Amino acid sequence: MLDPKWIREQIDEVRSMLECRNMDLDLSELSALEVRRREILVDVEARKARRNEGSKTVGAKRKAGENCDALMEEMRCLGEEIKELDAELERIERDFEAWMLKLPNRPLPSVPVGKNEEDNVVVRTWGTPRALPFEPKPHWEIAEALDILDFERGVKLAESRFTVVKGLGAKLARALINFMLDLHTNEHGFMEINPPILVNTATMRGTGQLPKFAEDQYRCANDDLWLIPTAEVPLTNLHAEEILDEAELPKHYTAYTPCFRREAGAAGRDMRGMLRQHQFDKVELVKLCAPQNGEAELEHLTNCAEKVLQLLELPYRVMALCTGDMGFASAKTYDLEVWLPYQNCYREISSCSICTDFQARRMNTRYRPEAGGRPQYVCTLNGSGIAIGRALIAILENGQNSDGSVTIPRALRPYMRELEAIVPH
């Protein structure tokens, strides 16, 4: 969440921020809550001052042997009024916090201002799309011909947007997972974590999935547990309600997990193939650092995800998302978009974001500065390092050959007994 002091004192800036983020939220109720909160604070302080003054007068009257029944009744009434005002203030604070949970993160100054994906900015490109001497096929046709993806049985076992990956397809997916984890742990300095894939409500709220995106999540009916939509959720929450020493920072974590999203807002989009699934695999990258190092850590995080695509020999581009296209918790985001020959365009395969102290405030994760002073909120970052299913798609489409085979990237061959291609049976 945002700094409540900033929200209370700069409500017009909050409105401007929501406008540039292309969000339409009526803040009149929030403003009214703040006006009433200040009124109550003034009233309570005045009544407490009167009560303190009255208590002293009661003591003096008693010493002098004077009757103070009327004054004591006034003090009793003041106590009841203070109690009622305190209860109202508590209700207002709860309503204010509920409002804060609705507000998105504040974009950094370097984020391009825009309404939607049309206003995103190309930062750089890498690689040249391969010139195919034949009409490129979509990944689902390639995979079915190679007998490595089974879409019909995925629907039979679950429902639409679930896929069975089998044979050399499953081996290729496992190779991608191991390759990415080895790269990020051995070369990029991340600690591998094997986290729960079921987490409680507080954990989901900590990274911003709740309450705003509840309809996109899978929840257990009989427990306070949710299937994670990304390993960002458990990894970032590892230090919830903790105070770290600055010397411990930065923390770099990586994890492979299955991920689950209902995709409630994506009905009818990308129904063919496995581009948009309810269950998908991903290697995630998460960082916790001191705020002053946040933007440098974002560049490093993005470079780590890029290295995966470079070693897989997949052409891609890096996009700086505009204010209107960023995720709810993000203060700045780079999307990596991989080239897909059949669609003849770039599609997202990784998203790398800095969340400043937005998630840390929700999780109450702080650090003690080495220079001394009060504990400060950490800066959190996350990125896909990368999505396994979309990497499979990109390999199938970019590695396809005229004879129906698919060339395996050289970086993955050690994980596949040096197999150079998947060929039709």
Side-chain angles (χ1 to χ4, degrees), residues 18-25 102-104 212 328:
L18 290 174
E19 183 179 354
C20 82
R21 292 215 57 168
N22 203 25
M23 291 187 67
D24 184 17
L25 279 177
K102 297 178 185 178
L103 298 174
K212 182 174 176 60
F328 179 76

Side-chain angles (χ1 to χ4, degrees), residues 266-285:
R269 294 178 59 193
D270 301 317
M271 290 299 292
R272 294 293 303 273
M274 60 182 297
L275 192 64
R276 195 177 295 274
Q277 299 278 278
H278 290 310
Q279 176 183 330
F280 55 96
D281 293 331
K282 185 153 65 81
V283 171
E284 185 74 3
L285 305 173

Side-chain angles (χ1 to χ4, degrees), residues 89-159:
L89 184 61
E90 186 176 333
R91 288 194 298 272
I92 286 174
E93 292 289 4
R94 285 198 302 268
D95 291 344
F96 190 87
E97 182 175 354
W99 255 102
M100 287 198 297
L101 293 175
K102 297 178 185 178
L103 298 174
N105 202 357
R106 190 180 181 185
L108 291 175
S110 57
V111 176
V113 176
K115 292 293 185 183
N116 51 47
E117 62 183 14
E118 299 298 323
D119 297 317
N120 295 339
V121 176
V122 179
V123 177
R124 56 183 171 271
T125 59
W126 184 92
T128 303
R130 178 178 161 216
L132 298 176
F134 54 89
E135 188 70 24
K137 294 180 179 180
H139 70 274
W140 57 86
E141 288 186 13
I142 300 167
E144 287 179 328
L146 294 173
D147 196 28
I148 59 174
L149 294 180
D150 193 325
F151 300 102
E152 291 184 5
R153 287 188 172 89
V155 174
K156 181 175 73 172
L157 293 173
E159 61 179 16

Side-chain angles (χ1 to χ4, degrees), residues 1-10 14 34 37 93 96-97 100 361 377:
M1 63 180 67
L2 297 166
D3 182 353
K5 184 174 184 290
W6 178 69
I7 296 172
R8 285 175 168 136
E9 296 180 356
Q10 304 295 337
V14 177
E34 178 56 15
R37 186 186 76 91
E93 292 289 4
F96 190 87
E97 182 175 354
M100 287 198 297
R361 287 180 181 276
Y377 289 105

